[in-house]
Amino acid sequence: MFNIQEELKKLPQSPGIYMMKNNADEIIYVGKAKNLNNRVHSYFRESSQKTSEKVRSLVAHIEEFEYIITDSEKEALLLECNLIKKYRPKYNILLKDDKNYPYIKITMNEDFPRLIFTRNIAKDGCEYYGPFSEIGAVYETLTLLRKLYPLRTCKRYINEKGEKVRPCLNYQIGLCKAPCAGLISKDEYDMYIKEAKNLLMGKNKDILEDLNKEMLKESENLNYELAAVYRDKIIAVKKIMERQKMISGSPEDEDFINIFSDENDSCIQVFFLREGKIVGREHFIVENTSDILSKDIITSFFKQFYGGTAYIPKNIYIPCEIEEAELFSQILSAKRENKVYIKIPQKGEKRDVLEFVYKNAKITMEKFKTKLIVDKEMHLKSLEELSELLELDNIPNRIEAFDISNIQGVDSVGSLVVFEDGKNKNSDYRRFKINENIGNNDYESIREVVTRRFKHGLDEIEKIQKNQLEYSQGKFSVFPDLIMMDGGKGQVNIAIEVLDKLNIKIPICGMVKDENHETRGIIYNGIEINIKGYKNAMNLVTRIQDEVHRFAISYHRTLRDKRILHSILEDIPFIGATRRKELLLRFGSVDNIKKASLEELIKTKSIDKKAANSIIEFFK
C-alpha cells in the first residue's frame, strides 16, 4: 500500500520529473521540478487548497506518485515534454491539435533529388521547407513545382554513371526528364533543383523575370505553343507567391505566437514566417482555461509543440514572459544546432506582427464558438429525428457502432466507434482482434466482439461498486443509449442474443446499404425503416456507418500488412530493421541490392564491410 506521507519523506533535493497517479494506476499529471522535494510537497500542503479548481481536483485524485531524478533541470524539461506527449495526462494542459506538420522534402542525399511530402524531419542530409498548415497546400505546391521543373518522383536508386533503364510514363507526358535513362545531365538537373529551392524560399522575382523574357521571346518568334508553356509556368509561380504573403522585412526564420482567451477557453495562434513571408499558420483550442494564466498556457504549448515539431526557427516571438524560457532556448538551440532566441517585442514591426497574430487568434476563437453552436444544433436535430424514427423513450446521447472486417476469414477484426451528442468520440474507439478459430463467420465474430465489450464493462462496474476503480477511469463502464450494427437482421439478432444473455437492456438496430453501397435504412425490431426522407437522421447514420467501416478496415490492413510484408532482407545475417530500411531507400528494390557491388553497399550509411559481405554472400 502506497503511503503518501511516508513517500514524501523520501523525496530527494534533486531536479527531475514527477508523475501523479490515480487509483487505477493511470498517470494523471506529469510535472518538472528544480527540486523534487519542495515541488511535490507543495501539492499536499494546505496552501494547495487555495489554488485553482483544476489543481484541487488533481490533488483529490492522487493515490500515489513516482519520480525520476535527472542530472539537470534541462534534462528534466526534455523528459517532461516526452512524457506529456506519450501519456497525455488528464490534468496537464493539452493541445487539441497535436500533430506533425506537413513539409516539402528535397532528398539531397540522392544523386538526383526528389521533391516529396513528409511529416517527419531527420538529420539525413535532406532539406525541408515548411511547415504548411494544410496538406492540400503542400500537394498543390508540389504539383505546381513539378509543372515548372520536371523532377523525378520515383524511388529508384539512380546514379549518373549507373546502369540506364527505360523511362516511365512520367517522361512521356513531360513530368520527368528521365535521369534514369541518362536523358538529362546531373548539372542540368541540379539547376532545376536550385530554382525549385529558390521558389520555396520566396526568391521568385528573378524566376518570374526570366520566364516573362522567355515567353515574350517565343511569342515574337511565333512559337505560340512554347510561349503558352511559359505562360502556364508564370501562372504556377504566381500561385505559389500568393501563399507566401510578405509581412516582415526580416531575412530570418521566425515563429510568432499569441493567445486570445475568453471567459472559458483559449486559442493559441502561431504564424510561421520564413524570410519575412508567411508560409503557414496553425491554431490550438485549449478548453476550460478560465482560471489558468496565459503564461502557463503558452509554457505548455512550448512543451508540446516544440517538443515534437520538426523545424525550429532562429527567433520565436511571444507576448509575455514564460517560465523556463532560458531552458527552452537551450534545448531548441541544441536541436537547431545554432542559437535560438525567445523574445518579447515591445514595439516596432515585430510587435505589430504579434498584434496581427492576436487578432487572428480572436477571430479563430469566434469562429470556433460559432461552429460549436451550429454543430450542436445540427447534431441535436439528427438525434431527435433518429429517436422519433425508432420511437425511443429518450434521445440517444451515446451511440456505439460495431463492424467486422476480414478477407476470407484471415486477419478478422472488429471495431467499435462511439458517437456522443451526435459527434464521434475518438478516445473511446476500441479495436478487437478476433479469435482465428472463428474464421470467415461474421455472426460468430460479432458475438465475440459484443460479448467482450460488455463483459469488460460489467467487470469494471463491479470494481467501481467495490471502490477498486473510479467511474471516470473505466474504459468500458459507460454503456450506450443505442447500439448500431453494420449489417441487417442477422447481425442485429446476434447482438440481441448476447445482451439478453448478459441481462443488459439497450436498444439495437442495424445499418443497411443499397446495391450502390450507400446507406439505405435502419433495421429495428425486425423491420426495415427507410430513412432517406429524414435528412438529419440520414446524415448521422451515414457518418456512423462510414466511420465504423473505416475504423475496421484500417485495423484489418495494419494486421494484414504486418503478416504479408515480410522481406527477404529479414533473412540476411547482420541486417536489422534500420539497415533494411536504408538499403531499400538507397537502392529502391531487392533486385538492385542483389546487383550492388561491395563498394556501392558500403556507401549506405549504416552498412559496414561485414554487413556488405553478408549481403553479397546471401545472394550468391
Side-chain angles (χ1 to χ4, degrees):
M1 187 72 178
F2 190 91
N3 187 314
I4 288 179
Q5 294 305 319
E6 287 300 316
E7 294 301 322
L8 286 172
K9 295 174 185 177
K10 301 175 186 177
L11 284 164
Q13 308 273 350
S14 308
I17 63 98
Y18 55 93
M19 295 173 285
M20 303 302 193
K21 292 185 173 184
N22 62 12
N23 61 4
D25 201 37
E26 292 178 326
I27 294 171
I28 57 174
Y29 187 78
V30 173
K32 174 198 72 69
K34 187 184 293 185
N35 183 310
L36 281 167
N37 188 293
N38 294 345
R39 185 72 185 100
V40 178
H41 265 90
S42 69
Y43 285 93
F44 303 98
R45 297 189 187 113
E46 284 188 17
S47 58
S48 68
Q49 301 306 311
K50 298 175 183 178
T51 56
S52 70
E53 180 62 36
K54 191 169 186 177
V55 173
R56 289 197 294 273
S57 178
L58 164 64
V59 173
H61 286 86
I62 296 172
E63 289 293 324
E64 61 179 273
F65 58 81
E66 292 181 5
Y67 57 88
I68 300 173
I69 298 171
T70 58
D71 290 332
S72 66
E73 197 178 356
K74 180 179 172 182
E75 283 185 18
L77 181 57
L78 278 169
L79 183 56
E80 181 194 19
C81 294
N82 291 334
L83 291 176
I84 290 173
K85 194 172 183 69
K86 180 178 180 180
Y87 293 111
R88 297 191 64 77
K90 179 179 178 179
Y91 289 94
N92 284 94
I93 299 171
L94 299 174
L95 303 181
K96 280 206 159 207
D97 190 1
D98 186 19
K99 63 188 179 186
N100 292 326
Y101 292 89
Y103 288 77
I104 290 176
K105 174 179 178 179
I106 302 183
T107 57
M108 298 303 294
N109 56 353
E110 298 174 338
D111 286 351
F112 290 88
R114 296 170 290 139
L115 273 69
I116 59 175
F117 167 93
T118 187
R119 286 190 184 274
N120 300 301
I121 286 186
K123 293 180 181 179
D124 53 4
C126 298
E127 294 182 9
Y128 298 83
Y129 297 85
F132 293 81
S133 57
E134 299 173 0
I135 294 176
V138 181
Y139 285 123
E140 185 179 348
T141 303
L142 283 171
T143 300
L144 293 171
L145 284 169
R146 284 164 182 161
K147 283 183 181 178
L148 289 164
Y149 311 111
L151 301 167
R152 75 187 186 97
T153 58
C154 66
K155 294 181 180 180
R156 285 177 178 167
Y157 171 67
I158 301 175
N159 185 292
E160 188 175 28
K161 296 178 182 178
E163 182 183 346
K164 307 306 175 193
V165 297
R166 183 179 178 181
C168 66
L169 182 62
N170 281 339
Y171 170 73
Q172 307 296 335
I173 60 177
L175 292 179
C176 180
K177 288 289 186 179
C180 56
L183 300 180
I184 183 173
S185 68
K186 190 170 186 316
D187 289 341
E188 188 181 351
Y189 192 92
D190 287 344
M191 283 300 296
Y192 283 144
I193 291 292
K194 184 180 178 182
E195 290 190 20
K197 284 185 193 177
N198 287 337
L199 197 50
L200 285 167
M201 290 189 291
K203 299 175 182 177
N204 36 46
K205 186 179 177 183
D206 291 342
I207 295 171
L208 268 180
E209 286 178 359
D210 290 344
L211 289 172
N212 270 307
K213 284 178 185 177
E214 292 297 330
M215 181 180 70
L216 291 172
K217 176 184 169 184
E218 297 302 335
S219 181
E220 288 168 1
N221 293 334
L222 306 181
N223 295 328
Y224 296 119
E225 287 187 9
L226 194 52
V229 171
Y230 284 111
R231 178 204 62 204
D232 292 343
K233 288 186 176 184
I234 290 167
I235 292 170
V237 171
K238 287 181 176 178
K239 279 189 176 180
I240 293 173
M241 288 170 66
E242 285 172 9
R243 293 193 176 278
Q244 300 172 326
K245 180 183 175 183
M246 177 67 79
I247 197 170
S248 166
S250 172
E252 296 172 340
D253 293 350
E254 302 168 321
D255 284 358
F256 287 80
I257 301 161
N258 215 328
I259 182 171
F260 172 80
S261 300
D262 63 15
E263 61 277 10
N264 296 312
D265 309 310
S266 298
C267 175
I268 299 173
Q269 188 96 25
V270 53
F271 273 60
F272 312 116
L273 273 71
R274 305 296 178 255
E275 298 196 347
K277 294 178 181 174
I278 299 173
V279 299
R281 67 176 182 174
E282 193 51 88
H283 71 269
F284 302 85
I285 302 296
V286 186
E287 296 179 315
N288 304 317
T289 59
S290 56
D291 58 354
I292 303 175
L293 298 174
S294 292
K295 68 173 187 176
D296 294 332
I297 299 171
I298 294 175
T299 300
S300 293
F301 168 82
F302 261 81
K303 290 175 184 177
Q304 293 171 69
F305 183 76
Y306 290 110
T309 191
Y311 181 78
I312 308 295
K314 182 175 182 179
N315 298 310
I316 301 173
Y317 294 95
I318 56 176
C320 58
E321 293 282 353
I322 63 169
E323 292 182 19
E324 304 148 345
E326 182 54 37
L327 273 178
F328 278 123
S329 178
Q330 292 174 23
I331 291 168
L332 299 181
S333 297
K335 191 171 181 180
R336 180 181 163 86
E337 297 184 340
N338 56 48
K339 182 67 175 174
V340 172
Y341 299 90
I342 299 172
K343 304 176 181 179
I344 306 171
Q346 301 300 322
K347 59 183 179 178
E349 182 187 70
K350 306 299 183 189
R351 187 69 204 177
D352 292 342
V353 176
L354 213 55
E355 286 298 319
F356 176 70
V357 177
Y358 173 81
K359 289 175 184 175
N360 275 270
K362 184 179 180 182
I363 291 167
T364 302
M365 176 64 85
E366 289 167 356
K367 288 180 178 177
F368 171 74
K369 296 287 186 178
T370 303
K371 187 176 184 298
L372 273 184
I373 294 168
V374 172
D375 286 352
K376 190 173 182 179
E377 289 175 353
M378 182 191 71
H379 295 323
L380 182 59
K381 285 179 183 176
S382 301
L383 292 168
E384 285 175 344
E385 276 191 8
L386 186 60
S387 179
E388 183 183 334
L389 277 167
L390 302 180
E391 297 180 357
L392 301 176
D393 294 333
N394 298 298
I395 292 174
N397 292 320
R398 182 182 174 96
I399 299 172
E400 293 188 3
F402 293 85
D403 189 21
I404 303 297
S405 178
N406 64 58
I407 296 178
Q408 296 180 342
V410 179
D411 296 325
S412 190
V413 301
S415 68
L416 161 64
V417 303
V418 178
F419 277 64
E420 282 194 355
D421 298 322
K423 57 184 179 181
N424 53 315
K425 189 179 181 184
N426 298 58
S427 60
D428 283 8
Y429 284 18
R430 295 291 177 262
R431 287 165 165 166
F432 302 86
K433 188 175 180 182
I434 294 166
N435 191 321
E436 291 179 4
N437 296 329
I438 290 176
N440 189 20
N441 188 326
D442 273 7
Y443 289 169
E444 289 307 308
S445 297
I446 287 167
R447 189 186 303 280
E448 179 182 330
V449 170
V450 176
T451 300
R452 284 166 60 185
R453 183 266 176 266
F454 286 100
K455 272 194 171 181
H456 281 314
L458 291 172
D459 289 344
E460 285 182 1
I461 290 169
E462 186 179 347
K463 288 179 181 178
I464 290 166
Q465 290 170 346
K466 292 179 179 178
N467 293 321
Q468 296 173 349
L469 184 71
E470 281 186 48
Y471 180 78
S472 60
Q473 302 302 326
K475 295 179 180 178
F476 293 96
S477 58
V478 180
F479 282 7
D481 304 306
L482 176 67
I483 295 169
M484 305 187 84
M485 309 301 300
D486 186 42
K489 291 182 182 179
Q491 286 84 350
V492 171
N493 289 337
I494 292 294
I496 290 172
E497 283 179 26
V498 171
L499 263 63
D500 284 346
K501 192 173 180 181
L502 296 172
N503 198 26
I504 297 171
K505 302 297 180 185
I506 299 172
I508 303 172
C509 64
M511 301 174 286
V512 290
K513 293 185 176 182
D514 59 23
E515 61 275 6
N516 297 318
H517 296 284
E518 294 179 356
T519 303
R520 180 182 74 204
I522 297 175
I523 296 286
Y524 187 60
N525 288 337
I527 300 169
E528 181 173 330
I529 303 169
N530 191 319
I531 60 172
K532 290 195 174 180
Y534 297 83
K535 181 181 176 183
N536 295 307
M538 178 76 175
N539 288 339
L540 176 61
V541 174
T542 301
R543 281 193 295 124
I544 293 172
Q545 191 169 30
D546 289 346
E547 180 67 358
V548 72
H549 185 63
R550 177 202 65 78
F551 194 55
I553 288 290
S554 66
Y555 186 37
H556 170 73
R557 284 175 179 162
T558 300
L559 294 179
R560 181 196 62 192
D561 290 347
K562 283 181 181 178
R563 180 175 52 81
I564 67 176
L565 293 180
H566 174 86
S567 168
I568 192 173
L569 299 180
E570 293 178 33
D571 299 325
I572 304 176
F574 311 116
I575 304 300
T578 300
R579 284 174 167 171
R580 287 197 301 271
K581 185 177 178 181
E582 289 180 1
L583 283 164
L584 288 169
L585 187 65
R586 178 171 172 76
F587 294 100
S589 70
V590 174
D591 284 340
N592 288 339
I593 296 169
K594 284 181 184 179
K595 297 172 187 175
S597 66
L598 181 68
E599 291 74 21
E600 288 173 329
L601 290 169
I602 291 173
K603 286 180 182 178
T604 305
K605 185 178 176 182
S606 66
I607 301 295
D608 55 19
K609 196 170 181 180
K610 183 179 180 181
N613 278 322
S614 179
I615 294 167
I616 291 169
E617 284 296 317
F618 183 84
F619 286 120
K620 270 186 179 179

